Amino acid sequence: MRYRFAPSSPRRVNPLTQALAFAAALTPCAASTAGLSYFDPWYIVTTISGDGRIAAGGWHAHSPTNPNDAAFVAPSGQAITIGRLKPGDENALISAASFDGGVLVGNSYACIGLIRRVCLPAAFRWSNATGMVALPNPLANPSWTFAADVSGDGRYIVGNSTGPFSRIAVLWHPDLHAETLGALHPDSWSSASAVSWDGGVVVGTAGGGADDDPSRREAFRWTRATGMVGLGALPGDQDSSAVDVSMRGDVVVGSSFGTGVSRREQAFRWTPAGGMQGLGFLNGAERSVARAVSGDGRVVVGYSGPSASIDYQGAHAFRWTQETGMQSFASWLTANGVIMPATITLLDAYSTNYDGSVSVGLAREINSPFGTRDIGWIARVGANGAGLLTDIPAFQRGLAETGLAAADAARNLPQNAFDGPYQRSLYDRGGVDANTGNDDRHGCAWAAGRIGCEQDSETRRQSLDAGYCRDFGRWRAGIALASSAAHQRFAFGGRARTDAHRLTLEAALKLDDTWRAELLAGFGEFDGHSLRIYANGARTEASIGHPTGRYQALRARVSAHDLWIWRSASITPYAALSATRSTLEPMVETGGTFSSRFEGAEWKDRNAALGVIARIDAGRDTTLTPVLEYAHRLRQTEATMRADLGIPIGVALPVGGGDRDWLRLTLDLDHRLGERGGLRLSLQANTQDETDIGIGAMYALGF
């Protein structure tokens, strides 16, 4: 059986993909979404897998930037190209997918002619294990093959083979042996359009009709036992064609055509017991067109409108079941609790999944910011409730914000272990500077707080630290606890909060009067709360997530204390190597009709840094200390965090690239309070990825 978003056409970009492509032009939001894998505006969707998770097709033949290759889109929204059959082919397009999307079939086109181009197809089968494999042609050359559908289990393929004077339906077996299925009438033609789950039933259209008129056509159903059997037409009609079949092969859908000039078209559903049944029309309509049948054969979708409708004028998408008859999708969704937007009309339903609970199609919106426009829609009625998505780019952008907020928190938290009090030496904490030679001070304690924000982002951060240190001869050991929180607002009204806790262990060694060696290790975990808001029909809904994870940070540093001294100033250079690792666990949202599952990810970074600490006396009890550090990423891990709704409108979030070189600038003002205490005020800026600006304060005590 075949699940389609739209009729296969290499000359028309599916409006659903056009709608998805608008996402790339939206104003940047609080979370950086520059790396999202949205549908390309030149991408054609021709089919979806039976489980509704894979959308397949290819690049439009006139794409200015992409190869004209066959491709498929995963639930994350990531497009994966599988190429063309032969190097000389101009383009390729997938026409059908197995139930789980593991097997794809389609056609690769070789074109000839300069003034009038003629493109001839060559059928192929693709799987991850075999790659793209040509399907053999049962007819002698010159002829060509066309693959229309693949069985649900991925073993059988149907289509046709066409020569200069003939066209014949073909069934390709698991070993790729090609079997011709014959025709309804001698010297006539046939073409297969769909196949059942196990390949035992094939449906399509054959020429000739009951009176062997070559201009006529008739729907057929083929089995091994019966051969090709015509299904006739509805009473009073003359022609018919079959477009789809259920997984078991016992339900066939298509169209029946009347006589005369108008040749009124009516959708039909055929079963062995009931024969061909007309599905009727929506109120006031004179035409109905079946597009697809659900895998269980219970639901038929398509559109109904005026007989001479141009550009869908007066058309409405329909959904048919035996219990309800034909009803508009708008009526069906309204009955299930969806509030329909007043400015949107659902024009056509292209496809539906196994049980008819998820459908996709074309809608027309008036009074939009772009005027009247055609957009894609996705409707789902299930355990989470009923929903209709019409602003798919906004929905994808909301997924991106939620996923990136969690991913950014996971990546940034390890770096926080090196900021604030920890950017300078452990010997620089304690009311009396241990470097001045006051040997009666053998320990220290401190408490610090910081607040910061990211430029061009609605992100705010704050943290609190408390620590203790003790001297053991030439060694100093320290331990600290930290708690931090980050708040972020999303462009579409949602928000995220991340809370983290960290244990930091430090050890410092005076090698001599100048050289110092230090080691810092941080271990933390975090949990968060995200609120994602989106439109469901004319109503606003929210889905809630709780991201969790853990992180580790390690830094080794060597410094030359007061290596250069000039009057009341001194300079201490240092070099450091650091390694960080952060893990984000998978997250499943709750609430809302279109809640999502976000896959987890892990990042590992290796960095090197060179810096200088300048100490300038600004008074008897006051010291000004600027710190300038240049950092270079030696190694980085790029991960892709994916949002998966079980339908191919998720997003893929590449996280882990960013700047390889950045600067960190800190300006500290230290003021001694009494014999043992000291206050430090800090201003810090960090240019990594997005400029981060923060201020902090620390009170330290030596004893």
Side-chain angles (χ1 to χ4, degrees):
M1 66 174 301
R2 175 180 48 199
Y3 300 88
R4 284 190 170 181
F5 269 125
S8 175
S9 171
R11 296 295 179 187
R12 178 169 179 249
V13 178
N14 188 311
L16 176 61
T17 67
Q18 291 177 322
L20 292 173
F22 289 156
L26 293 182
T27 301
C29 58
S32 174
T33 53
L36 294 182
S37 298
Y38 289 113
F39 281 79
D40 188 283
W42 295 90
Y43 185 75
I44 307 169
V45 175
T46 57
T47 184
I48 58 174
S49 59
D51 60 7
R53 296 172 58 82
I54 300 295
W59 302 113
H60 191 269
H62 302 295
S63 167
T65 58
N66 290 293
N68 304 322
D69 292 339
F72 66 91
V73 178
S76 64
Q78 184 179 19
I80 300 171
T81 298
I82 63 173
R84 286 161 282 181
L85 194 58
K86 298 186 296 294
D89 290 352
E90 289 197 9
N91 58 76
L93 198 65
I94 295 168
S95 56
S98 63
F99 185 84
D100 63 0
V103 175
L104 306 173
V105 300
N107 303 281
S108 187
Y109 293 86
C111 300
I112 57 176
L114 297 177
I115 300 176
R116 184 176 181 180
R117 302 286 284 169
V118 176
C119 296
L120 304 179
F124 67 78
R125 178 189 186 274
W126 179 93
S127 70
N128 193 48
T130 65
M132 189 178 288
V133 178
L135 298 180
N137 191 344
L139 298 183
N141 288 325
S143 60
W144 52 93
T145 54
F146 182 88
D149 194 21
V150 62
S151 60
D153 60 10
R155 291 164 52 82
Y156 294 90
I157 302 167
V158 297
N160 65 74
S161 182
T162 303
F165 306 105
S166 63
R167 180 170 48 162
I168 194 73
V170 178
L171 171 67
W172 284 277
H173 291 256
D175 62 358
L176 300 187
H177 164 70
E179 177 185 4
T180 58
L181 303 185
L184 288 176
H185 304 281
D187 300 323
S188 188
W189 59 270
S190 64
S191 180
S193 58
V195 61
S196 63
W197 172 275
D198 61 0
V201 178
V202 180
V203 302
T205 306
D211 57 1
D212 205 19
D213 183 343
S215 66
R216 301 267 308 273
R217 52 181 168 161
E218 182 178 0
F220 73 78
R221 179 177 183 268
W222 177 95
T223 69
R224 179 73 56 194
T226 65
M228 186 176 292
V229 177
L231 303 183
L234 292 172
D237 286 354
Q238 153 174 301
D239 290 332
S240 64
S241 64
V243 297
D244 203 8
V245 65
S246 64
M247 292 178 66
R248 293 175 55 185
D250 55 346
V251 178
V252 182
V253 299
S255 292
S256 180
F257 301 89
T259 59
V261 177
S262 66
R263 289 181 57 82
R264 185 183 71 170
E265 182 177 0
Q266 181 179 179
F268 75 76
R269 177 178 182 268
W270 180 96
T271 63
M276 186 175 290
Q277 173 189 4
L279 304 186
F281 311 91
L282 293 177
N283 291 337
E286 300 172 329
R287 182 188 188 195
S288 61
V289 178
R291 296 291 199 193
V293 62
S294 61
D296 60 10
R298 297 169 56 88
V299 179
V300 183
V301 300
Y303 78 92
S304 180
S307 60
S309 175
I310 299 176
D311 193 27
Y312 285 108
Q313 292 296 324
H316 295 272
F318 77 74
R319 184 181 190 272
W320 180 97
T321 67
Q322 194 72 51
E323 295 76 19
T324 65
M326 183 178 292
Q327 60 181 155
S328 69
F329 257 96
S331 298
W332 177 65
L333 291 171
T334 299
N336 282 279
V338 176
I339 301 175
M340 295 297 298
T343 59
I344 291 178
T345 301
L346 306 184
L347 301 178
D348 198 352
Y350 290 147
S351 180
T352 191
N353 67 334
Y354 170 75
D355 60 1
S357 61
V358 179
S359 299
V360 299
L362 174 71
R364 182 158 296 157
E365 181 182 19
I366 61 173
N367 300 327
S368 78
F370 307 95
T372 298
R373 60 172 181 167
D374 289 349
I375 58 176
W377 60 266
I378 297 181
R380 180 166 67 181
V381 175
N384 291 339
L388 172 67
L389 296 178
T390 54
D391 194 345
I392 296 172
F395 183 84
Q396 283 193 303
R397 189 66 64 161
L399 289 173
E401 290 179 314
T402 301
L404 282 177
D408 286 345
R411 290 190 62 238
N412 291 331
L413 282 169
Q415 292 297 327
N416 291 350
F418 308 138
D419 289 339
Y422 311 101
Q423 187 173 8
R424 288 171 59 182
S425 170
L426 181 59
Y427 287 116
D428 288 346
R429 275 164 267 165
V432 178
D433 188 351
N435 292 296
T436 63
N438 294 338
D439 294 334
D440 58 335
R441 305 291 183 253
H442 300 292
C444 64
W446 71 90
R450 286 174 291 162
I451 59 174
C453 64
E454 288 185 3
Q455 185 180 0
D456 301 327
S457 174
E458 293 285 340
T459 302
R460 307 186 319 275
R461 296 191 179 96
Q462 64 261 6
S463 65
L464 294 172
D465 299 73
Y468 168 83
C469 74
R470 190 71 181 174
D471 289 342
F472 302 92
R474 294 188 300 160
W475 288 86
R476 172 169 283 194
I479 184 171
L481 296 176
S483 176
S484 63
H487 305 260
Q488 184 172 340
R489 292 190 177 276
F490 299 154
F492 292 99
R495 59 185 181 271
R497 174 188 172 96
T498 303
D499 297 300
H501 306 280
R502 183 183 74 247
L503 170 66
T504 301
L505 303 175
E506 295 179 272
L509 173 63
K510 292 182 182 179
L511 299 173
D512 55 30
D513 291 340
T514 301
W515 292 97
R516 308 282 189 266
E518 298 178 78
L519 186 66
L520 178 150
F523 308 90
E525 60 183 21
F526 62 91
D527 60 82
H529 176 92
S530 63
L531 178 69
R532 182 170 61 88
I533 297 175
Y534 51 89
N536 176 3
R539 182 173 56 196
T540 298
E541 287 190 355
S543 294
I544 297 172
H546 297 281
T548 60
R550 59 192 180 277
Y551 60 96
Q552 300 89 38
L554 182 67
R555 183 186 66 193
R557 181 166 62 181
V558 176
S559 61
H561 173 66
D562 290 348
L563 183 63
W564 299 292
I565 300 176
W566 185 72
R567 293 185 180 181
S568 60
S570 64
I571 294 179
T572 298
Y574 66 85
L577 292 174
S578 64
T580 63
R581 176 180 178 179
S582 54
T583 302
L584 180 64
E585 301 294 341
M587 177 182 71
V588 179
E589 292 180 320
T590 59
T593 305
F594 293 97
S595 57
S596 177
R597 180 186 187 276
F598 291 83
E599 295 182 7
E602 183 177 80
W603 296 271
K604 297 178 181 179
D605 284 357
R606 304 286 186 271
N607 304 316
L610 296 174
V612 291
I613 302 172
R615 193 187 314 272
I616 305 170
D617 290 340
R620 178 185 174 194
D621 297 318
T622 303
T623 303
L624 185 65
T625 307
V627 182
L628 178 62
E629 179 180 285
Y630 162 76
H632 173 73
R633 183 173 284 125
L634 301 172
R635 175 186 171 191
Q636 60 184 349
T637 299
E638 294 191 16
T640 300
M641 186 177 180
R642 307 178 192 277
D644 183 359
L645 287 83
I647 49 180
I649 60 165
V651 292
L653 310 172
V655 182
D659 298 334
R660 296 189 64 90
D661 301 277
W662 66 93
L663 295 175
R664 181 184 286 117
L665 175 64
T666 302
L667 184 62
D668 291 339
L669 182 67
D670 291 287
H671 183 73
R672 181 174 299 181
L673 299 174
E675 289 295 325
R676 297 177 180 272
L679 177 66
R680 177 181 298 170
L681 301 178
S682 300
L683 175 65
Q684 185 179 75
N686 186 342
T687 65
Q688 184 179 12
D689 298 336
E690 291 188 36
T691 301
D692 190 310
I693 300 174
I695 58 175
M698 181 182 74
Y699 176 77
L701 182 67
F703 51 83

